[in-house]
Amino acid sequence: MSTADRLIESTRELLWERGYTGTSPKAIQQRAGAGQGSMYHHFSGKPDLALAAIRRTGEELRAKADEQFRGPGTALERITAYLRRERDVLKGCPIGRLTQDPDVMADATLRAPVEETLTWLRESLAAVLTEGRERGELDLSLDPGTTAATIVAVLQGGYVLARASDSVAPFDAAITGVLGLLTSGVAATGS
């Protein structure tokens, strides 16, 4: 792994663990095993490095989600695969947690990849739901856009509930609940 990649990966981890303010250049350098000169050779400063880290986190999240969304099965099976995939629930969503970071949200440049990732997620879920409706797998009365927003909200809320109780049980219950609501939208002639 190159020095620039080590710096980005270290920043990603620290942002997830400590947030923007708690992620100091010195902590990044120590975790990456890189000196100050190396950091500033590759990045203009902490904001530039944080932006690269947030973008990479968003790209990784999209790639993992896209695997399930493009996988085999019905729309409901693919959404279930996405919602039930293995996650480090008690650490929270690395993108969702950034929405609670006032420094990231106050900076339009840092906020942009967070917003883009969550928008992509809603739009991708809506596309899978639309496909399910068109294939007759889901009831035609199901609104893909609002349903996708609900799924993302339940997922993010599930992380919050799990972290608050220090247990994955509330997350699992939230996912089971939203899947139950989706199952009730399965077309009578669908699978």
Side-chain angles (χ1 to χ4, degrees):
M1 188 181 293
S2 72
T3 301
D5 283 331
R6 286 197 325 270
L7 287 163
I8 291 170
E9 290 304 312
S10 296
T11 304
R12 288 178 63 197
E13 293 168 7
L14 289 165
L15 285 172
W16 199 5
E17 294 168 12
R18 303 178 184 181
Y20 186 80
T21 299
T23 300
S24 69
K26 184 173 182 154
I28 294 167
Q29 294 161 21
Q30 286 176 340
R31 188 167 290 194
Q36 183 177 4
S38 292
M39 181 174 153
Y40 289 102
H41 171 73
H42 294 288
F43 302 96
S44 63
K46 178 180 163 181
D48 186 37
L49 182 51
L51 179 60
I54 294 168
R55 282 184 177 150
R56 185 172 291 176
T57 298
E59 290 165 4
E60 183 179 283
L61 185 147
R62 288 190 301 273
K64 286 180 180 178
D66 204 43
E67 274 184 49
Q68 277 90 36
F69 296 155
R70 293 184 182 274
T74 65
L76 186 56
E77 289 167 343
R78 289 180 282 149
I79 291 170
T80 299
Y82 167 71
L83 292 173
R84 294 276 189 211
R85 80 167 188 233
E86 189 172 328
R87 304 165 191 272
D88 194 347
V89 172
L90 294 179
K91 282 182 77 176
C93 173
I95 288 291
R97 283 190 64 182
L98 292 172
T99 66
Q100 300 302 310
D101 190 314
D103 295 307
V104 172
M105 292 297 100
D107 184 317
T109 303
L110 294 177
R111 185 179 65 245
V114 173
E115 181 182 0
E116 290 164 9
T117 300
L118 292 172
T119 298
W120 176 89
L121 183 56
R122 285 191 321 273
E123 290 172 352
S124 296
L125 280 164
V128 173
L129 292 163
T130 298
E131 183 183 316
R133 276 183 21 170
E134 290 170 356
R135 289 182 176 178
E137 299 164 357
L138 298 170
D139 192 286
L140 289 175
S141 67
L142 182 122
D143 180 272
T146 58
T147 303
T150 300
I151 293 168
V152 173
V154 168
L155 179 64
Q156 292 301 318
Y159 282 121
V160 170
L161 295 173
R163 286 176 56 81
S165 67
D166 196 31
S167 168
V168 299
F171 178 89
D172 291 340
I175 297 308
T176 298
V178 78
L179 288 172
L181 293 172
L182 280 175
T183 302
S184 69
V186 171
T189 59
S191 49

PDB file of all heavy atoms in Angstrom, residues 66-101:
ATOM      1  N   ASP A  66     -24.041  -2.197  -4.188  1.00  0.00           N
ATOM      2  CA  ASP A  66     -24.324  -2.517  -5.589  1.00  0.00           C
ATOM      3  C   ASP A  66     -24.235  -4.018  -5.849  1.00  0.00           C
ATOM      4  O   ASP A  66     -24.962  -4.548  -6.687  1.00  0.00           O
ATOM      5  CB  ASP A  66     -23.370  -1.740  -6.504  1.00  0.00           C
ATOM      6  CG  ASP A  66     -23.924  -1.550  -7.892  1.00  0.00           C
ATOM      7  OD1 ASP A  66     -25.121  -1.224  -8.009  1.00  0.00           O
ATOM      8  OD2 ASP A  66     -23.157  -1.725  -8.861  1.00  0.00           O
ATOM      9  N   GLU A  67     -23.356  -4.714  -5.123  1.00  0.00           N
ATOM     10  CA  GLU A  67     -23.266  -6.175  -5.254  1.00  0.00           C
ATOM     11  C   GLU A  67     -24.621  -6.819  -4.971  1.00  0.00           C
ATOM     12  O   GLU A  67     -25.059  -7.700  -5.707  1.00  0.00           O
ATOM     13  CB  GLU A  67     -22.246  -6.751  -4.266  1.00  0.00           C
ATOM     14  CG  GLU A  67     -20.839  -6.757  -4.745  1.00  0.00           C
ATOM     15  CD  GLU A  67     -19.914  -7.431  -3.742  1.00  0.00           C
ATOM     16  OE1 GLU A  67     -20.237  -8.545  -3.274  1.00  0.00           O
ATOM     17  OE2 GLU A  67     -18.873  -6.829  -3.430  1.00  0.00           O
ATOM     18  N   GLN A  68     -25.262  -6.409  -3.883  1.00  0.00           N
ATOM     19  CA  GLN A  68     -26.560  -6.976  -3.540  1.00  0.00           C
ATOM     20  C   GLN A  68     -27.641  -6.492  -4.493  1.00  0.00           C
ATOM     21  O   GLN A  68     -28.493  -7.261  -4.901  1.00  0.00           O
ATOM     22  CB  GLN A  68     -26.945  -6.645  -2.095  1.00  0.00           C
ATOM     23  CG  GLN A  68     -26.348  -7.566  -1.057  1.00  0.00           C
ATOM     24  CD  GLN A  68     -25.021  -7.065  -0.559  1.00  0.00           C
ATOM     25  OE1 GLN A  68     -24.807  -5.870  -0.420  1.00  0.00           O
ATOM     26  NE2 GLN A  68     -24.101  -7.973  -0.286  1.00  0.00           N
ATOM     27  N   PHE A  69     -27.630  -5.224  -4.851  1.00  0.00           N
ATOM     28  CA  PHE A  69     -28.676  -4.674  -5.711  1.00  0.00           C
ATOM     29  C   PHE A  69     -28.651  -5.290  -7.105  1.00  0.00           C
ATOM     30  O   PHE A  69     -29.678  -5.427  -7.744  1.00  0.00           O
ATOM     31  CB  PHE A  69     -28.552  -3.154  -5.816  1.00  0.00           C
ATOM     32  CG  PHE A  69     -28.764  -2.431  -4.503  1.00  0.00           C
ATOM     33  CD1 PHE A  69     -28.196  -1.187  -4.304  1.00  0.00           C
ATOM     34  CD2 PHE A  69     -29.517  -2.979  -3.477  1.00  0.00           C
ATOM     35  CE1 PHE A  69     -28.385  -0.495  -3.109  1.00  0.00           C
ATOM     36  CE2 PHE A  69     -29.707  -2.308  -2.279  1.00  0.00           C
ATOM     37  CZ  PHE A  69     -29.135  -1.063  -2.094  1.00  0.00           C
ATOM     38  N   ARG A  70     -27.482  -5.664  -7.578  1.00  0.00           N
ATOM     39  CA  ARG A  70     -27.351  -6.253  -8.911  1.00  0.00           C
ATOM     40  C   ARG A  70     -27.315  -7.776  -8.874  1.00  0.00           C
ATOM     41  O   ARG A  70     -27.199  -8.415  -9.915  1.00  0.00           O
ATOM     42  CB  ARG A  70     -26.093  -5.735  -9.601  1.00  0.00           C
ATOM     43  CG  ARG A  70     -26.157  -4.262  -9.921  1.00  0.00           C
ATOM     44  CD  ARG A  70     -24.898  -3.850 -10.688  1.00  0.00           C
ATOM     45  NE  ARG A  70     -24.884  -2.439 -10.971  1.00  0.00           N
ATOM     46  CZ  ARG A  70     -25.452  -1.887 -12.028  1.00  0.00           C
ATOM     47  NH1 ARG A  70     -26.102  -2.632 -12.888  1.00  0.00           N
ATOM     48  NH2 ARG A  70     -25.377  -0.582 -12.223  1.00  0.00           N
ATOM     49  N   GLY A  71     -27.393  -8.345  -7.686  1.00  0.00           N
ATOM     50  CA  GLY A  71     -27.305  -9.793  -7.541  1.00  0.00           C
ATOM     51  C   GLY A  71     -28.548 -10.506  -8.050  1.00  0.00           C
ATOM     52  O   GLY A  71     -29.488  -9.888  -8.558  1.00  0.00           O
ATOM     53  N   PRO A  72     -28.549 -11.819  -7.904  1.00  0.00           N
ATOM     54  CA  PRO A  72     -29.700 -12.607  -8.370  1.00  0.00           C
ATOM     55  C   PRO A  72     -30.891 -12.475  -7.425  1.00  0.00           C
ATOM     56  O   PRO A  72     -30.745 -12.061  -6.280  1.00  0.00           O
ATOM     57  CB  PRO A  72     -29.152 -14.038  -8.365  1.00  0.00           C
ATOM     58  CG  PRO A  72     -28.117 -14.037  -7.283  1.00  0.00           C
ATOM     59  CD  PRO A  72     -27.502 -12.657  -7.325  1.00  0.00           C
ATOM     60  N   GLY A  73     -32.062 -12.831  -7.927  1.00  0.00           N
ATOM     61  CA  GLY A  73     -33.252 -12.880  -7.096  1.00  0.00           C
ATOM     62  C   GLY A  73     -34.233 -11.767  -7.386  1.00  0.00           C
ATOM     63  O   GLY A  73     -34.002 -10.879  -8.206  1.00  0.00           O
ATOM     64  N   THR A  74     -35.317 -11.833  -6.664  1.00  0.00           N
ATOM     65  CA  THR A  74     -36.356 -10.821  -6.781  1.00  0.00           C
ATOM     66  C   THR A  74     -35.870  -9.523  -6.134  1.00  0.00           C
ATOM     67  O   THR A  74     -34.853  -9.508  -5.434  1.00  0.00           O
ATOM     68  CB  THR A  74     -37.641 -11.268  -6.051  1.00  0.00           C
ATOM     69  OG1 THR A  74     -37.346 -11.347  -4.643  1.00  0.00           O
ATOM     70  CG2 THR A  74     -38.159 -12.614  -6.566  1.00  0.00           C
ATOM     71  N   ALA A  75     -36.618  -8.469  -6.338  1.00  0.00           N
ATOM     72  CA  ALA A  75     -36.282  -7.186  -5.713  1.00  0.00           C
ATOM     73  C   ALA A  75     -36.223  -7.342  -4.193  1.00  0.00           C
ATOM     74  O   ALA A  75     -35.278  -6.871  -3.553  1.00  0.00           O
ATOM     75  CB  ALA A  75     -37.304  -6.127  -6.111  1.00  0.00           C
ATOM     76  N   LEU A  76     -37.200  -8.008  -3.619  1.00  0.00           N
ATOM     77  CA  LEU A  76     -37.235  -8.191  -2.168  1.00  0.00           C
ATOM     78  C   LEU A  76     -36.047  -9.027  -1.695  1.00  0.00           C
ATOM     79  O   LEU A  76     -35.446  -8.726  -0.659  1.00  0.00           O
ATOM     80  CB  LEU A  76     -38.561  -8.839  -1.745  1.00  0.00           C
ATOM     81  CG  LEU A  76     -38.799  -8.970  -0.250  1.00  0.00           C
ATOM     82  CD1 LEU A  76     -38.704  -7.613   0.449  1.00  0.00           C
ATOM     83  CD2 LEU A  76     -40.155  -9.607   0.014  1.00  0.00           C
ATOM     84  N   GLU A  77     -35.667 -10.052  -2.442  1.00  0.00           N
ATOM     85  CA  GLU A  77     -34.514 -10.881  -2.065  1.00  0.00           C
ATOM     86  C   GLU A  77     -33.218 -10.069  -2.099  1.00  0.00           C
ATOM     87  O   GLU A  77     -32.373 -10.197  -1.219  1.00  0.00           O
ATOM     88  CB  GLU A  77     -34.406 -12.095  -2.980  1.00  0.00           C
ATOM     89  CG  GLU A  77     -35.498 -13.124  -2.736  1.00  0.00           C
ATOM     90  CD  GLU A  77     -35.601 -14.189  -3.827  1.00  0.00           C
ATOM     91  OE1 GLU A  77     -35.060 -13.986  -4.940  1.00  0.00           O
ATOM     92  OE2 GLU A  77     -36.237 -15.223  -3.562  1.00  0.00           O
ATOM     93  N   ARG A  78     -33.072  -9.195  -3.098  1.00  0.00           N
ATOM     94  CA  ARG A  78     -31.860  -8.383  -3.203  1.00  0.00           C
ATOM     95  C   ARG A  78     -31.801  -7.327  -2.101  1.00  0.00           C
ATOM     96  O   ARG A  78     -30.743  -7.076  -1.527  1.00  0.00           O
ATOM     97  CB  ARG A  78     -31.771  -7.747  -4.590  1.00  0.00           C
ATOM     98  CG  ARG A  78     -31.447  -8.811  -5.661  1.00  0.00           C
ATOM     99  CD  ARG A  78     -31.348  -8.230  -7.046  1.00  0.00           C
ATOM    100  NE  ARG A  78     -32.709  -8.023  -7.539  1.00  0.00           N
ATOM    101  CZ  ARG A  78     -33.068  -7.067  -8.365  1.00  0.00           C
ATOM    102  NH1 ARG A  78     -32.195  -6.187  -8.806  1.00  0.00           N
ATOM    103  NH2 ARG A  78     -34.301  -6.956  -8.767  1.00  0.00           N
ATOM    104  N   ILE A  79     -32.939  -6.727  -1.801  1.00  0.00           N
ATOM    105  CA  ILE A  79     -32.972  -5.742  -0.713  1.00  0.00           C
ATOM    106  C   ILE A  79     -32.714  -6.432   0.622  1.00  0.00           C
ATOM    107  O   ILE A  79     -31.985  -5.914   1.473  1.00  0.00           O
ATOM    108  CB  ILE A  79     -34.304  -4.959  -0.722  1.00  0.00           C
ATOM    109  CG1 ILE A  79     -34.341  -4.051  -1.957  1.00  0.00           C
ATOM    110  CG2 ILE A  79     -34.475  -4.142   0.564  1.00  0.00           C
ATOM    111  CD1 ILE A  79     -35.686  -3.406  -2.219  1.00  0.00           C
ATOM    112  N   THR A  80     -33.270  -7.619   0.794  1.00  0.00           N
ATOM    113  CA  THR A  80     -33.018  -8.391   2.015  1.00  0.00           C
ATOM    114  C   THR A  80     -31.536  -8.714   2.140  1.00  0.00           C
ATOM    115  O   THR A  80     -30.950  -8.577   3.229  1.00  0.00           O
ATOM    116  CB  THR A  80     -33.859  -9.680   2.029  1.00  0.00           C
ATOM    117  OG1 THR A  80     -35.245  -9.325   1.989  1.00  0.00           O
ATOM    118  CG2 THR A  80     -33.584 -10.514   3.266  1.00  0.00           C
ATOM    119  N   ALA A  81     -30.915  -9.133   1.040  1.00  0.00           N
ATOM    120  CA  ALA A  81     -29.478  -9.429   1.069  1.00  0.00           C
ATOM    121  C   ALA A  81     -28.683  -8.199   1.489  1.00  0.00           C
ATOM    122  O   ALA A  81     -27.738  -8.295   2.287  1.00  0.00           O
ATOM    123  CB  ALA A  81     -29.016  -9.931  -0.301  1.00  0.00           C
ATOM    124  N   TYR A  82     -29.073  -7.040   0.983  1.00  0.00           N
ATOM    125  CA  TYR A  82     -28.394  -5.801   1.354  1.00  0.00           C
ATOM    126  C   TYR A  82     -28.585  -5.486   2.842  1.00  0.00           C
ATOM    127  O   TYR A  82     -27.627  -5.190   3.562  1.00  0.00           O
ATOM    128  CB  TYR A  82     -28.892  -4.631   0.501  1.00  0.00           C
ATOM    129  CG  TYR A  82     -28.469  -3.293   1.034  1.00  0.00           C
ATOM    130  CD1 TYR A  82     -27.137  -2.890   0.956  1.00  0.00           C
ATOM    131  CD2 TYR A  82     -29.380  -2.445   1.651  1.00  0.00           C
ATOM    132  CE1 TYR A  82     -26.730  -1.674   1.475  1.00  0.00           C
ATOM    133  CE2 TYR A  82     -28.981  -1.227   2.165  1.00  0.00           C
ATOM    134  CZ  TYR A  82     -27.662  -0.847   2.079  1.00  0.00           C
ATOM    135  OH  TYR A  82     -27.271   0.356   2.609  1.00  0.00           O
ATOM    136  N   LEU A  83     -29.816  -5.551   3.311  1.00  0.00           N
ATOM    137  CA  LEU A  83     -30.099  -5.193   4.703  1.00  0.00           C
ATOM    138  C   LEU A  83     -29.549  -6.204   5.696  1.00  0.00           C
ATOM    139  O   LEU A  83     -29.208  -5.841   6.824  1.00  0.00           O
ATOM    140  CB  LEU A  83     -31.608  -5.021   4.897  1.00  0.00           C
ATOM    141  CG  LEU A  83     -32.227  -3.820   4.183  1.00  0.00           C
ATOM    142  CD1 LEU A  83     -33.744  -3.846   4.317  1.00  0.00           C
ATOM    143  CD2 LEU A  83     -31.653  -2.519   4.707  1.00  0.00           C
ATOM    144  N   ARG A  84     -29.451  -7.461   5.310  1.00  0.00           N
ATOM    145  CA  ARG A  84     -28.990  -8.518   6.227  1.00  0.00           C
ATOM    146  C   ARG A  84     -27.499  -8.825   6.101  1.00  0.00           C
ATOM    147  O   ARG A  84     -26.997  -9.677   6.816  1.00  0.00           O
ATOM    148  CB  ARG A  84     -29.790  -9.799   5.970  1.00  0.00           C
ATOM    149  CG  ARG A  84     -31.258  -9.706   6.294  1.00  0.00           C
ATOM    150  CD  ARG A  84     -31.507  -9.956   7.740  1.00  0.00           C
ATOM    151  NE  ARG A  84     -32.935 -10.079   8.006  1.00  0.00           N
ATOM    152  CZ  ARG A  84     -33.479  -9.716   9.130  1.00  0.00           C
ATOM    153  NH1 ARG A  84     -32.742  -9.212  10.108  1.00  0.00           N
ATOM    154  NH2 ARG A  84     -34.782  -9.844   9.316  1.00  0.00           N
ATOM    155  N   ARG A  85     -26.805  -8.126   5.213  1.00  0.00           N
ATOM    156  CA  ARG A  85     -25.387  -8.443   5.057  1.00  0.00           C
ATOM    157  C   ARG A  85     -24.630  -8.155   6.353  1.00  0.00           C
ATOM    158  O   ARG A  85     -25.078  -7.379   7.204  1.00  0.00           O
ATOM    159  CB  ARG A  85     -24.786  -7.692   3.880  1.00  0.00           C
ATOM    160  CG  ARG A  85     -24.441  -6.264   4.172  1.00  0.00           C
ATOM    161  CD  ARG A  85     -23.570  -5.679   3.075  1.00  0.00           C
ATOM    162  NE  ARG A  85     -23.112  -4.383   3.482  1.00  0.00           N
ATOM    163  CZ  ARG A  85     -23.240  -3.293   2.770  1.00  0.00           C
ATOM    164  NH1 ARG A  85     -23.800  -3.336   1.590  1.00  0.00           N
ATOM    165  NH2 ARG A  85     -22.793  -2.146   3.226  1.00  0.00           N
ATOM    166  N   GLU A  86     -23.477  -8.778   6.472  1.00  0.00           N
ATOM    167  CA  GLU A  86     -22.681  -8.618   7.683  1.00  0.00           C
ATOM    168  C   GLU A  86     -22.191  -7.178   7.800  1.00  0.00           C
ATOM    169  O   GLU A  86     -21.708  -6.587   6.837  1.00  0.00           O
ATOM    170  CB  GLU A  86     -21.485  -9.575   7.640  1.00  0.00           C
ATOM    171  CG  GLU A  86     -20.741  -9.618   8.950  1.00  0.00           C
ATOM    172  CD  GLU A  86     -19.686 -10.709   8.975  1.00  0.00           C
ATOM    173  OE1 GLU A  86     -19.880 -11.753   8.334  1.00  0.00           O
ATOM    174  OE2 GLU A  86     -18.660 -10.479   9.646  1.00  0.00           O
ATOM    175  N   ARG A  87     -22.363  -6.611   8.992  1.00  0.00           N
ATOM    176  CA  ARG A  87     -21.956  -5.227   9.277  1.00  0.00           C
ATOM    177  C   ARG A  87     -21.420  -5.152  10.700  1.00  0.00           C
ATOM    178  O   ARG A  87     -21.787  -5.951  11.536  1.00  0.00           O
ATOM    179  CB  ARG A  87     -23.154  -4.280   9.210  1.00  0.00           C
ATOM    180  CG  ARG A  87     -23.932  -4.286   7.936  1.00  0.00           C
ATOM    181  CD  ARG A  87     -25.291  -3.584   8.153  1.00  0.00           C
ATOM    182  NE  ARG A  87     -26.160  -3.802   7.018  1.00  0.00           N
ATOM    183  CZ  ARG A  87     -26.201  -3.036   5.942  1.00  0.00           C
ATOM    184  NH1 ARG A  87     -25.452  -1.992   5.868  1.00  0.00           N
ATOM    185  NH2 ARG A  87     -27.007  -3.322   4.953  1.00  0.00           N
ATOM    186  N   ASP A  88     -20.604  -4.155  10.953  1.00  0.00           N
ATOM    187  CA  ASP A  88     -20.148  -3.878  12.310  1.00  0.00           C
ATOM    188  C   ASP A  88     -21.141  -2.883  12.906  1.00  0.00           C
ATOM    189  O   ASP A  88     -20.893  -1.686  12.995  1.00  0.00           O
ATOM    190  CB  ASP A  88     -18.732  -3.317  12.292  1.00  0.00           C
ATOM    191  CG  ASP A  88     -18.080  -3.338  13.654  1.00  0.00           C
ATOM    192  OD1 ASP A  88     -18.790  -3.557  14.667  1.00  0.00           O
ATOM    193  OD2 ASP A  88     -16.863  -3.139  13.716  1.00  0.00           O
ATOM    194  N   VAL A  89     -22.307  -3.411  13.282  1.00  0.00           N
ATOM    195  CA  VAL A  89     -23.453  -2.596  13.666  1.00  0.00           C
ATOM    196  C   VAL A  89     -23.127  -1.634  14.809  1.00  0.00           C
ATOM    197  O   VAL A  89     -23.524  -0.462  14.774  1.00  0.00           O
ATOM    198  CB  VAL A  89     -24.657  -3.499  14.031  1.00  0.00           C
ATOM    199  CG1 VAL A  89     -25.801  -2.698  14.621  1.00  0.00           C
ATOM    200  CG2 VAL A  89     -25.114  -4.288  12.809  1.00  0.00           C
ATOM    201  N   LEU A  90     -22.415  -2.088  15.808  1.00  0.00           N
ATOM    202  CA  LEU A  90     -22.168  -1.239  16.975  1.00  0.00           C
ATOM    203  C   LEU A  90     -21.206  -0.082  16.689  1.00  0.00           C
ATOM    204  O   LEU A  90     -21.169   0.891  17.442  1.00  0.00           O
ATOM    205  CB  LEU A  90     -21.666  -2.070  18.155  1.00  0.00           C
ATOM    206  CG  LEU A  90     -22.702  -3.062  18.700  1.00  0.00           C
ATOM    207  CD1 LEU A  90     -22.124  -3.865  19.852  1.00  0.00           C
ATOM    208  CD2 LEU A  90     -23.978  -2.358  19.127  1.00  0.00           C
ATOM    209  N   LYS A  91     -20.466  -0.148  15.597  1.00  0.00           N
ATOM    210  CA  LYS A  91     -19.632   0.987  15.200  1.00  0.00           C
ATOM    211  C   LYS A  91     -20.448   2.007  14.419  1.00  0.00           C
ATOM    212  O   LYS A  91     -20.053   3.153  14.286  1.00  0.00           O
ATOM    213  CB  LYS A  91     -18.450   0.517  14.353  1.00  0.00           C
ATOM    214  CG  LYS A  91     -17.329  -0.087  15.184  1.00  0.00           C
ATOM    215  CD  LYS A  91     -16.160  -0.495  14.336  1.00  0.00           C
ATOM    216  CE  LYS A  91     -15.337   0.696  13.926  1.00  0.00           C
ATOM    217  NZ  LYS A  91     -14.117   0.314  13.173  1.00  0.00           N
ATOM    218  N   GLY A  92     -21.602   1.599  13.904  1.00  0.00           N
ATOM    219  CA  GLY A  92     -22.440   2.500  13.126  1.00  0.00           C
ATOM    220  C   GLY A  92     -22.012   2.531  11.679  1.00  0.00           C
ATOM    221  O   GLY A  92     -21.035   1.915  11.279  1.00  0.00           O
ATOM    222  N   CYS A  93     -22.758   3.258  10.892  1.00  0.00           N
ATOM    223  CA  CYS A  93     -22.459   3.409   9.468  1.00  0.00           C
ATOM    224  C   CYS A  93     -21.362   4.465   9.315  1.00  0.00           C
ATOM    225  O   CYS A  93     -21.504   5.576   9.843  1.00  0.00           O
ATOM    226  CB  CYS A  93     -23.713   3.849   8.716  1.00  0.00           C
ATOM    227  SG  CYS A  93     -23.416   4.256   6.988  1.00  0.00           S
ATOM    228  N   PRO A  94     -20.283   4.153   8.595  1.00  0.00           N
ATOM    229  CA  PRO A  94     -19.204   5.139   8.470  1.00  0.00           C
ATOM    230  C   PRO A  94     -19.621   6.414   7.732  1.00  0.00           C
ATOM    231  O   PRO A  94     -19.056   7.476   7.977  1.00  0.00           O
ATOM    232  CB  PRO A  94     -18.110   4.399   7.706  1.00  0.00           C
ATOM    233  CG  PRO A  94     -18.793   3.255   7.052  1.00  0.00           C
ATOM    234  CD  PRO A  94     -19.989   2.921   7.897  1.00  0.00           C
ATOM    235  N   ILE A  95     -20.625   6.336   6.887  1.00  0.00           N
ATOM    236  CA  ILE A  95     -21.137   7.540   6.218  1.00  0.00           C
ATOM    237  C   ILE A  95     -22.223   8.188   7.081  1.00  0.00           C
ATOM    238  O   ILE A  95     -22.207   9.399   7.299  1.00  0.00           O
ATOM    239  CB  ILE A  95     -21.679   7.200   4.804  1.00  0.00           C
ATOM    240  CG1 ILE A  95     -20.534   6.894   3.850  1.00  0.00           C
ATOM    241  CG2 ILE A  95     -22.546   8.326   4.251  1.00  0.00           C
ATOM    242  CD1 ILE A  95     -19.652   8.063   3.482  1.00  0.00           C
ATOM    243  N   GLY A  96     -23.143   7.406   7.588  1.00  0.00           N
ATOM    244  CA  GLY A  96     -24.214   7.933   8.429  1.00  0.00           C
ATOM    245  C   GLY A  96     -23.697   8.659   9.659  1.00  0.00           C
ATOM    246  O   GLY A  96     -24.236   9.696  10.056  1.00  0.00           O
ATOM    247  N   ARG A  97     -22.627   8.143  10.238  1.00  0.00           N
ATOM    248  CA  ARG A  97     -22.066   8.796  11.434  1.00  0.00           C
ATOM    249  C   ARG A  97     -21.533  10.181  11.114  1.00  0.00           C
ATOM    250  O   ARG A  97     -21.548  11.076  11.965  1.00  0.00           O
ATOM    251  CB  ARG A  97     -20.964   7.939  12.042  1.00  0.00           C
ATOM    252  CG  ARG A  97     -21.556   6.768  12.819  1.00  0.00           C
ATOM    253  CD  ARG A  97     -20.560   6.026  13.619  1.00  0.00           C
ATOM    254  NE  ARG A  97     -19.984   6.848  14.663  1.00  0.00           N
ATOM    255  CZ  ARG A  97     -19.045   6.418  15.485  1.00  0.00           C
ATOM    256  NH1 ARG A  97     -18.592   5.197  15.391  1.00  0.00           N
ATOM    257  NH2 ARG A  97     -18.558   7.209  16.404  1.00  0.00           N
ATOM    258  N   LEU A  98     -21.062  10.374   9.895  1.00  0.00           N
ATOM    259  CA  LEU A  98     -20.543  11.691   9.522  1.00  0.00           C
ATOM    260  C   LEU A  98     -21.627  12.763   9.510  1.00  0.00           C
ATOM    261  O   LEU A  98     -21.336  13.948   9.669  1.00  0.00           O
ATOM    262  CB  LEU A  98     -19.839  11.624   8.168  1.00  0.00           C
ATOM    263  CG  LEU A  98     -18.537  10.818   8.149  1.00  0.00           C
ATOM    264  CD1 LEU A  98     -18.035  10.659   6.717  1.00  0.00           C
ATOM    265  CD2 LEU A  98     -17.476  11.461   9.035  1.00  0.00           C
ATOM    266  N   THR A  99     -22.893  12.357   9.349  1.00  0.00           N
ATOM    267  CA  THR A  99     -23.983  13.339   9.381  1.00  0.00           C
ATOM    268  C   THR A  99     -24.152  13.935  10.774  1.00  0.00           C
ATOM    269  O   THR A  99     -24.770  14.990  10.914  1.00  0.00           O
ATOM    270  CB  THR A  99     -25.328  12.729   8.926  1.00  0.00           C
ATOM    271  OG1 THR A  99     -25.741  11.741   9.880  1.00  0.00           O
ATOM    272  CG2 THR A  99     -25.224  12.133   7.531  1.00  0.00           C
ATOM    273  N   GLN A 100     -23.614  13.263  11.774  1.00  0.00           N
ATOM    274  CA  GLN A 100     -23.684  13.767  13.146  1.00  0.00           C
ATOM    275  C   GLN A 100     -22.455  14.580  13.534  1.00  0.00           C
ATOM    276  O   GLN A 100     -22.346  15.039  14.653  1.00  0.00           O
ATOM    277  CB  GLN A 100     -23.843  12.585  14.120  1.00  0.00           C
ATOM    278  CG  GLN A 100     -25.090  11.762  13.888  1.00  0.00           C
ATOM    279  CD  GLN A 100     -26.345  12.604  13.983  1.00  0.00           C
ATOM    280  OE1 GLN A 100     -26.536  13.340  14.947  1.00  0.00           O
ATOM    281  NE2 GLN A 100     -27.204  12.515  12.981  1.00  0.00           N
ATOM    282  N   ASP A 101     -21.523  14.718  12.590  1.00  0.00           N
ATOM    283  CA  ASP A 101     -20.296  15.460  12.851  1.00  0.00           C
ATOM    284  C   ASP A 101     -20.486  16.907  12.395  1.00  0.00           C
ATOM    285  O   ASP A 101     -20.554  17.183  11.197  1.00  0.00           O
ATOM    286  CB  ASP A 101     -19.137  14.805  12.088  1.00  0.00           C
ATOM    287  CG  ASP A 101     -17.786  15.359  12.490  1.00  0.00           C
ATOM    288  OD1 ASP A 101     -17.648  16.600  12.588  1.00  0.00           O
ATOM    289  OD2 ASP A 101     -16.864  14.548  12.683  1.00  0.00           O
TER     290      ASP A 101
END
